[in-house]
Amino acid sequence: MARMFFVTVLYCLLLPLFQSKIEESQYCSTQGSMASVYSPVSSTNEGFFHADLNLEKSLFETVAAYVERIVLPIFVAIPGTDTNIIIRKLNIIKECNYLDNNAKCICFDEDMQNNTKYSVPSSEMPCDTNCSHLYMDGMKFCPENVKILTMEVKATGSFKLSETSDAEDHKTNLTTILASSYSNLVGFRCVKILQIRNRNTVDYELTVNGRTKSKNLWSHTQDVAYLTNQSFKVDLKSFQVKSTGLVTIEISPKIVHYKKPLTINCTIDDNVESVNWFILGPGDEEEANISARHYSFENNSASNSILKINATSIWKGKYYCRFYFARGSLVHEASGDSNIYLLPEEITTIPTQYSVSGNESIPAKCCIKDDGENYAVTLEPKGSSDGDSGELESTVNGTKCWKYVINFNFANTTVYSCTFTNMVKQSTSGMITISVLKENEASCKGEQIAGYKWQTTAAGQYAESNDTCEEGKVGKIIRFCNEGGKWSKVFVNCTSKTLIKLLFWAQELSNGRDSTFHGLPFVLKNLTDFNDKQENTFPDNIATIKILDTLTLATERSNSTFNESVMSDFFSIASNATQNDAKNKENSSIHSSSLMRSVEKFSEAFQAPQENYSLNLPNIKLKGQMFNTVPSKGYREIFSENYTSTVEIESNSLKDRVNNNSFTISSILYSNLDQSLSARNNLPEDVKDYFINSLVQSTTLKINNGTQNMNSKITINMFFSPRSETGNPKTAKCVFWNYDLFEGEGGWSDEGCKSVVTEKGTNCTCTHLTSFTVLMAAKKIIIPFLEEITYAGLFISIGSLICFITIEVVVWKTVVKNNVTCFRHITLINTAIALLFAQLFFLIGSIQPVKDNETLCTIATIFTHYFFLSVFFWTLAQSLTLLYRLIFVFHQMSKTTFMSFSFILGYVCPLAIVIAATTNFISKGKYKRENICWLNVIPFGKVTAFHTFIVPVGCIIGINMFILTAVIVKIMRPSVSEGKNKEDKETLKKIIKAVLILTPTFGLTWAVGFLLTENAPYFLHYAFAILNSVQGLFILLTSSFTETKVRAAFIKHFKSMTFQSTSENVYSKTTAHSILK
């Protein structure tokens, strides 16, 4: 027995010699013993070693006698190796006796004589007090040169006493209990209380020499809990212990290149339950959890976990691997720093593109996010090796910039590379393109517009304004010069710094850095708070959609599920984003596709609180059901707000797909996504003008436990009511959004879908689940010569109006003799002026270059809108004045009152309507129609810009018709002085004259427009075009030529002008004749 004990001790002493120099600790135990080995640093193969043996006191003399009898030297072969060790000297140097929580130690010299004695309480025994140091001092070895080869394990623990106990008052007793419980732990050296927190939480530190098993350490910790609970009331579940020193960590390689593999291996010689990895990056306030998809875990007699990632900026920092035992109450930790050399992940060049007409000095900057790396930065023409290192500016808001001056002297377009090189010679570049302006090539001329100054820019290039984004935002203010040399709109591409930070957090979650389950709700809450405080700009909306898409990716990768609160936050943000996206349809289709995918995929992560669930938001409606088994009636949901949409999946179709598993089906209806999604598709090209003519609806199926049988087709039946009556039902196509079409931008496809059109809408049957809608071609109403008639009528009308206004000016003093005639002619001439400008701007808006220019087209639409409204309000002023004369026969209206009333009604009221319309609809991109300079009429069934015209016009026409009826009734009253027959004839004449005169001046011809439905006969279209395009001619005829006084005054003026001209001619001839004589 003694020999076995001795061999074990020898093995523990000798084993470190054959290990690699990286290995600094080994563990070996036998029955009731423990060894701690020390070695001096030496370049030779000889050294002095020290071992601590814990054993029963009765065995000490036996072991000491046995050591003395050993015949040295001894040759020992290390098991499992080819290494042989020679032991030349073996001495006992210390004896410690533990009794009643006290340690009494004696240090011996080489002859086993007492040298030093000391006695301390074991609970306060300094962990670095060791006779081996004294012994080595005697051998002239410095303790600083001692290298510990066995494990020194540090463990920190904590527990809570009951709230009624004050731990500070019982610190001594608690220390005694800790020491008493842990002193029996193999390798125990010392234990001490570190601090008392909140009066009842005890933090302590335990030091153990050599390796110990989790089971053994936790057993002694439970002894602590048991003994403590006997004296104090303690929360038994509060005991937590974390050790360091039992886990070995290896980081490979030692120097990690950017985007290259990094492997970290953690091992513990124990069977533990689980593992977690964490990272603390530079500047992080707390550790981030690393997703389990990045590491493996094997547990057996020894446990191992290997972390593998590709090194980027988010992975630079200190790594922690933690093995768990006792359901997480005991943690074994190791940590290590990653030496990653980074490269900039985004380089901002200022400018990115620039145009010059010759040699020029151009200031430039290359900027990156400050990641703590020291880069060599150069700017040089592409292909050149002669670069300028530039001047580093001070870091502002985490951004570092290097500034340069480019002395450009090339004849052709040149690309400059701004290159960042790290310490391991990796590099990446940003580009600056300098374009040379040439006389025969298109370009956009420099100008100052929208508050920004723009330099002359080559066609096909972007110009960048020198103005910076407003406070709290980053980005550039840019403008594109198209191939024809025409400027596009100014794009203020400035994004909130808050959103950029949230996007970075979302990207960390998607890359597995931090817990999606805990991190995602935090990001959504901050995003909701941001949206509540301000309205998103288009760049902010793009960032919001990217955040939602990235969070969805994180959810998919982590297989996380979320409750109703988180789902509501996500869908609420998405609902606002669809509304903002619809305002910028021309730029938002690809973002709408991304948003739709995010909503569709994230809905699968909904952990619904009940079998039937729903979320009702302004622009997104969610309905769904959870099933344990396939119901006999299948799945059915109905959305019936504004437009009807139904979804149905038969039970037979579900059975094959779900494989007897529980499952969840969600259906989502988007109220306005059809306004921002593109109608691009891969349908046959026989019809090219498809548009989305229904709401967009998505349906998803998720198996709660198990997997879907994807080989089994699932049939979904849907019904969509049309959004617009302008669509041709014969061309209706049921389609789904294919995210892979058009190089990943997405588009509509009818693969696997069939369409059946009914009077109420379109029935769709498809063999897959995703997002669906109905495409339809617009009805083409081609009426021969209608356009030609309209333009011819407009020219005639404009000419007639000019003649009318001229006549009114000529005869004004002759005709206008009293208030009655004054009021009438004021309303007539203002009606004519407003109609003249309305028709002129309508013609301007029909010119193709104006149609192609969004700004000019919008301006033409605004003025056309305003002046046509003004026409009708002046007709209303005229009709109300006439009604006043009919009702108040003996009461005269003052001229001042009339002028104030009529001018406010004729010009101010239309202006108010137009301002309200432009304010509300232009910002949403819904004021004018696409490629047509007139008011937008889509979507049908909702208030549009066209309603701000047709509603007041319809009301005015109704009022004017009522007044015309009142006039006719007044005319039909019998006259006492005239006979019946004569009276009837005169009344009929008066009625006809009243209708002919008042109908055009009251604008009643426009009433025909209310009869123009999609199935209206051609003659109504012709009637509307003729009657309204030549309205100016009708005004000329009815208000000038048929008016006796006006006609007579104009003829008289014409004759006087003719007579004067003749007299002047006669006088000049007579004078000439006299001179000749």
Side-chain angles (χ1 to χ4, degrees):
M1 184 70 175
R3 182 171 179 78
M4 180 185 300
F5 179 80
F6 177 68
V7 170
T8 305
V9 171
L10 277 183
Y11 179 70
C12 292
L13 291 170
L14 303 176
L15 190 58
L17 292 179
F18 81 94
Q19 296 286 355
S20 163
K21 290 183 179 181
I22 297 176
E23 293 287 344
E24 296 184 355
S25 60
Q26 291 295 327
Y27 163 84
C28 189
S29 66
T30 188
Q31 212 168 355
S33 68
M34 190 69 190
S36 298
V37 183
Y38 296 80
S39 171
V41 176
S42 174
S43 59
T44 68
N45 291 329
E46 295 186 1
F48 291 86
F49 298 88
H50 162 247
D52 286 341
L53 305 180
N54 294 322
L55 65 160
E56 295 292 333
K57 184 177 180 180
S58 59
L59 296 177
F60 178 75
E61 293 182 0
T62 303
V63 172
Y66 190 83
V67 170
E68 290 178 359
R69 293 197 300 271
I70 295 174
V71 179
L72 300 173
I74 298 175
F75 294 86
V76 180
I78 303 300
T81 72
D82 297 329
T83 305
N84 293 317
I85 300 298
I86 302 175
I87 299 178
R88 302 186 184 276
K89 198 169 187 179
L90 192 61
N91 293 321
I92 297 175
I93 60 173
K94 179 179 73 171
E95 174 189 354
C96 286
N97 294 310
Y98 295 93
L99 180 64
D100 296 330
N101 298 324
N102 290 301
K104 294 182 179 180
C105 297
I106 302 173
C107 294
F108 302 101
D109 57 18
E110 292 186 68
D111 299 323
M112 287 290 292
Q113 300 299 315
N114 293 348
N115 191 357
T116 304
K117 295 182 180 181
Y118 58 91
S119 177
V120 293
S122 61
S123 59
E124 298 179 8
M125 180 177 175
C127 298
D128 56 354
T129 301
N130 204 304
C131 292
S132 60
H133 285 200
L134 301 174
Y135 177 75
M136 289 179 183
D137 284 341
M139 301 296 295
K140 297 183 179 181
F141 279 97
C142 181
E144 283 74 16
N145 292 331
V146 175
K147 191 175 185 180
I148 299 175
L149 291 179
T150 54
M151 184 79 62
E152 181 181 68
V153 178
K154 294 280 188 181
T156 57
S158 67
F159 59 90
K160 287 183 179 180
L161 301 180
S162 66
E163 294 181 1
T164 58
S165 300
D166 191 339
E168 197 69 47
D169 297 337
H170 307 288
K171 186 174 182 180
T172 303
N173 292 336
L174 290 171
T175 303
T176 302
I177 293 173
L178 287 169
S180 175
S181 300
Y182 282 120
S183 62
N184 293 324
L185 180 66
V186 175
F188 170 77
R189 285 182 60 186
C190 61
V191 66
K192 58 185 176 181
I193 292 180
L194 298 174
Q195 63 176 343
I196 307 295
R197 290 182 289 118
N198 302 324
R199 299 185 64 186
N200 67 336
T201 302
V202 180
D203 293 334
Y204 63 91
E205 182 183 71
L206 168 69
T207 305
V208 180
N209 276 347
R211 297 183 186 272
T212 185
K213 297 291 184 180
S214 300
K215 187 175 181 180
N216 198 20
L217 179 57
W218 186 244
S219 175
H220 284 77
T221 303
Q222 287 179 314
D223 290 343
V224 172
Y226 175 75
L227 291 175
T228 306
N229 197 46
Q230 285 185 331
S231 302
F232 311 96
K233 290 183 179 180
V234 65
D235 182 1
L236 295 176
K237 294 182 179 180
S238 68
F239 278 82
Q240 300 285 328
V241 177
K242 181 169 72 174
S243 77
T244 56
L246 290 174
V247 181
T248 59
I249 185 168
E250 295 180 3
I251 300 177
S252 177
K254 295 297 182 183
I255 296 177
V256 188
H257 291 58
Y258 180 68
K259 286 191 175 180
K260 297 298 182 181
L262 168 65
T263 301
I264 307 179
N265 190 343
C266 269
T267 304
I268 183 170
D269 188 18
D270 200 353
N271 188 349
V272 295
E273 296 168 356
S274 60
V275 67
N276 271 336
W277 286 80
F278 301 86
I279 182 173
L280 183 67
D284 286 351
E285 295 181 359
E286 57 184 33
E287 301 165 356
N289 181 273
I290 299 176
S291 171
R293 73 174 184 269
H294 289 299
Y295 58 82
S296 62
F297 174 58
E298 294 181 2
N299 61 334
N300 210 314
S301 57
S303 301
N304 171 261
S305 181
I306 300 176
L307 173 72
K308 293 183 178 181
I309 53 99
N310 284 326
T312 58
S313 60
I314 67 171
W315 296 116
K316 185 169 185 176
K318 188 171 186 178
Y319 287 84
Y320 299 84
C321 67
R322 292 176 184 148
F323 291 103
Y324 297 93
F325 187 81
R327 298 181 179 178
S329 296
L330 175 59
V331 182
H332 303 297
E333 179 185 87
S335 62
D337 287 300
S338 60
N339 190 15
I340 299 176
Y341 287 90
L342 301 176
L343 280 176
E345 294 178 352
E346 183 177 358
I347 299 173
T348 301
T349 55
I350 306 173
T352 303
Q353 297 176 342
Y354 196 84
S355 299
V356 297
S357 55
N359 296 349
E360 188 175 335
S361 294
I362 306 165
K365 286 184 180 181
C366 301
C367 301
I368 62 169
K369 179 183 176 182
D370 186 6
D371 55 15
E373 290 288 326
N374 292 318
Y375 295 108
V377 187
T378 58
L379 182 67
E380 59 195 9
K382 201 169 184 180
S384 171
S385 58
D386 185 18
D388 183 6
S389 59
E391 179 184 347
L392 176 62
E393 294 183 329
S394 58
T395 302
V396 179
N397 295 326
T399 301
K400 292 175 71 173
C401 291
W402 285 257
K403 62 180 181 179
Y404 304 84
V405 175
I406 300 174
N407 296 311
F408 188 80
N409 55 6
F410 294 97
N412 297 309
T413 297
T414 304
V415 177
Y416 283 77
S417 297
C418 187
T419 304
F420 289 75
T421 305
N422 62 18
M423 300 296 288
V424 291
K425 305 304 179 183
Q426 287 181 292
S427 63
T428 185
S429 301
M431 303 301 171
I432 298 176
T433 302
I434 310 296
S435 301
V436 178
L437 298 169
K438 298 183 179 180
E439 293 183 2
N440 58 344
E441 294 181 355
S443 64
C444 296
K445 302 302 179 184
E447 63 180 14
Q448 185 161 354
I449 192 172
Y452 306 107
K453 187 176 181 180
W454 305 98
Q455 63 159 16
T456 301
T457 302
Q461 299 289 327
Y462 280 95
E464 298 175 13
S465 172
N466 290 329
D467 296 89
T468 58
C469 295
E470 62 184 276
E471 185 70 24
K473 294 193 174 186
V474 293
K476 294 181 178 180
I477 302 167
I478 58 177
R479 197 178 183 196
F480 184 67
C481 178
N482 63 34
E483 297 297 336
K486 294 184 179 180
W487 285 113
S488 64
K489 290 181 180 179
V490 175
F491 183 38
V492 183
N493 189 23
C494 297
T495 306
S496 168
K497 292 179 180 178
T498 301
L499 292 178
I500 291 176
K501 188 174 183 179
L502 291 176
L503 178 59
F504 177 75
W505 288 346
Q507 289 170 340
E508 286 191 338
L509 293 178
S510 70
N511 287 320
R513 194 183 189 276
D514 215 342
S515 165
T516 300
F517 182 78
H518 296 99
L520 185 143
F522 175 78
V523 174
L524 287 180
K525 182 182 182 302
N526 281 272
L527 188 54
T528 300
D529 292 343
F530 175 84
N531 288 337
D532 289 343
K533 291 178 182 177
Q534 59 188 2
E535 184 177 351
N536 279 359
T537 61
F538 183 57
D540 282 348
N541 200 54
I542 293 174
T544 299
I545 293 173
K546 286 182 178 178
I547 292 170
L548 295 181
D549 185 51
T550 308
L551 291 177
T552 302
L553 182 60
T555 303
E556 288 183 277
R557 287 175 171 176
S558 63
N559 293 318
S560 301
T561 58
F562 299 98
N563 59 25
E564 188 173 8
S565 175
V566 175
M567 196 63 57
S568 180
D569 286 344
F570 187 97
F571 273 63
S572 179
I573 295 167
S575 177
N576 292 334
T578 62
Q579 179 176 338
N580 295 329
D581 232 16
K583 297 177 185 178
N584 299 277
K585 181 174 181 179
E586 59 192 68
N587 299 314
S588 61
S589 181
I590 189 170
H591 306 296
S592 296
S593 173
S594 176
L595 179 62
M596 184 168 63
R597 180 197 174 279
S598 299
V599 173
E600 183 180 324
K601 293 295 183 182
F602 197 77
S603 66
E604 297 180 8
F606 189 14
Q607 191 66 40
Q610 53 196 17
E611 290 185 358
N612 295 299
Y613 56 88
S614 64
L615 287 174
N616 192 9
L617 297 160
N619 301 309
I620 297 179
K621 319 293 180 187
L622 168 69
K623 291 185 178 182
Q625 299 176 42
M626 293 188 297
F627 303 96
N628 292 321
T629 59
V630 176
S632 59
K633 294 182 179 180
Y635 169 80
R636 180 178 173 82
E637 288 290 356
I638 300 175
F639 298 93
S640 57
E641 294 184 13
N642 296 327
Y643 301 95
T644 301
S645 177
T646 63
V647 185
E648 185 176 355
I649 305 176
E650 295 180 356
S651 59
N652 291 334
S653 184
L654 287 170
K655 287 179 181 178
D656 295 335
R657 177 62 73 96
V658 301
N659 290 327
N660 296 319
N661 293 302
S662 62
F663 61 98
T664 302
I665 302 179
S666 299
S667 293
I668 306 160
L669 191 72
Y670 305 91
S671 299
N672 58 2
L673 203 59
D674 57 297
Q675 299 173 40
S676 56
L677 272 174
S678 170
R680 61 175 175 263
N681 56 77
N682 64 352
L683 302 179
E685 295 187 1
D686 54 338
V687 180
K688 296 183 179 180
D689 59 345
Y690 279 110
F691 70 99
I692 301 172
N693 197 23
S694 74
L695 298 179
V696 179
Q697 180 268 125
S698 301
T699 297
T700 63
L701 184 150
K702 179 188 177 184
I703 304 298
N704 297 329
N705 297 298
T707 58
Q708 298 186 42
N709 178 13
M710 300 306 295
N711 294 324
S712 173
K713 289 185 178 181
I714 187 166
T715 302
I716 179 171
N717 299 309
M718 296 162 288
F719 171 80
F720 296 95
S721 62
R723 294 202 70 174
S724 169
E725 299 299 327
T726 62
N728 184 356
K730 295 180 180 179
T731 62
K733 293 285 186 182
C734 296
V735 291
F736 74 96
W737 187 261
N738 187 333
Y739 295 96
D740 298 326
L741 288 179
F742 303 104
E743 298 180 349
E745 291 189 6
W748 298 105
S749 172
D750 65 345
E751 184 180 351
C753 292
K754 295 181 180 180
S755 312
V756 177
V757 179
T758 66
E759 292 182 0
K760 295 183 178 181
T762 306
N763 290 310
C764 299
T765 301
C766 298
T767 56
H768 44 72
L769 300 180
T770 183
S771 298
F772 303 92
T773 194
V774 173
L775 293 185
M776 202 175 288
K779 290 182 180 178
K780 293 184 177 180
I781 304 175
I782 302 176
I783 303 175
F785 305 111
L786 184 65
E787 197 169 313
E788 290 80 357
I789 291 172
T790 300
Y791 289 128
L794 286 172
F795 283 112
I796 294 171
S797 180
I798 290 170
S800 300
L801 290 169
I802 294 172
C803 290
F804 173 76
I805 294 169
T806 303
I807 292 171
E808 285 291 308
V809 172
V810 168
V811 304
W812 187 269
K813 291 182 180 180
T814 305
V815 174
V816 177
K817 297 295 185 181
N818 52 46
N819 282 354
V820 175
T821 55
C822 178
F823 296 168
R824 182 168 183 271
H825 283 276
I826 284 175
T827 55
L828 281 173
I829 196 168
N830 278 284
T831 302
I833 291 171
L835 183 60
L836 175 63
F837 279 106
Q839 292 183 338
L840 282 173
F841 278 107
F842 183 84
L843 281 176
I844 291 170
S846 66
I847 301 171
Q848 194 60 44
V850 176
K851 289 182 181 180
D852 295 337
N853 188 302
E854 188 73 15
T855 302
L856 293 178
C857 190
T858 301
I859 292 171
T861 304
I862 291 172
F863 279 107
T864 305
H865 186 193
Y866 172 72
F867 283 113
F868 269 125
L869 280 176
S870 182
V871 169
F872 282 96
F873 275 98
W874 274 109
T875 65
L876 179 62
Q878 184 178 0
S879 64
L880 291 175
T881 305
L882 179 59
L883 181 65
Y884 182 86
R885 292 284 300 156
L886 288 174
I887 297 174
F888 304 101
V889 179
F890 301 106
H891 186 275
Q892 297 295 324
M893 184 189 299
S894 69
K895 190 173 182 179
T896 303
T897 303
F898 169 78
M899 294 292 285
S900 301
F901 163 74
S902 59
F903 274 85
I904 290 174
L905 189 64
Y907 291 119
V908 177
C909 288
L911 182 62
I913 293 173
V914 171
I915 290 174
T918 53
T919 302
N920 186 52
F921 292 107
I922 285 183
S923 61
K924 300 176 182 178
K926 296 180 180 180
Y927 181 68
K928 58 173 285 296
R929 298 173 66 180
E930 289 187 26
N931 303 319
I932 297 176
C933 301
W934 184 233
L935 301 173
N936 180 44
V937 297
I938 297 174
F940 290 92
K942 290 190 176 182
V943 176
T944 64
F946 185 64
H947 286 90
T948 64
F949 175 75
I950 199 66
V951 171
V953 166
C955 293
I956 291 172
I957 289 174
I959 294 171
N960 289 350
M961 281 188 170
F962 170 77
I963 294 173
L964 177 61
T965 304
V967 170
I968 293 172
V969 171
K970 177 75 173 177
I971 292 172
M972 291 177 64
R973 287 183 180 177
S975 175
V976 177
S977 62
E978 296 179 346
K980 189 171 185 344
N981 292 335
K982 187 177 181 181
E983 177 188 315
D984 290 344
K985 290 180 181 180
E986 288 301 320
T987 299
L988 184 60
K989 288 180 181 180
K990 290 178 182 179
I991 291 172
I992 294 172
K993 184 178 180 180
V995 171
L996 290 175
I997 292 174
L998 296 180
T999 296
T1001 55
F1002 281 8
L1004 301 182
T1005 54
W1006 284 73
V1008 179
F1010 289 92
L1011 303 176
L1012 295 180
T1013 62
E1014 58 186 56
N1015 297 319
Y1018 283 4
F1019 81 86
L1020 283 178
H1021 290 274
Y1022 286 123
F1024 180 78
I1026 294 170
L1027 290 174
N1028 293 292
S1029 64
V1030 296
Q1031 189 177 0
L1033 176 62
F1034 290 147
I1035 292 175
L1036 176 65
L1037 294 175
T1038 58
S1039 301
S1040 291
F1041 291 174
T1042 60
E1043 285 283 333
T1044 305
K1045 290 182 180 181
V1046 174
R1047 189 172 63 250
F1050 184 74
I1051 291 172
K1052 183 179 179 180
H1053 180 79
F1054 181 76
K1055 286 181 178 180
S1056 65
M1057 290 291 293
T1058 305
F1059 175 76
Q1060 184 179 355
S1061 176
T1062 304
S1063 298
E1064 288 176 357
N1065 288 337
V1066 171
Y1067 175 77
S1068 63
K1069 287 180 181 179
T1070 303
T1071 304
H1073 181 70
S1074 300
I1075 292 172
L1076 289 173
K1077 283 186 175 183

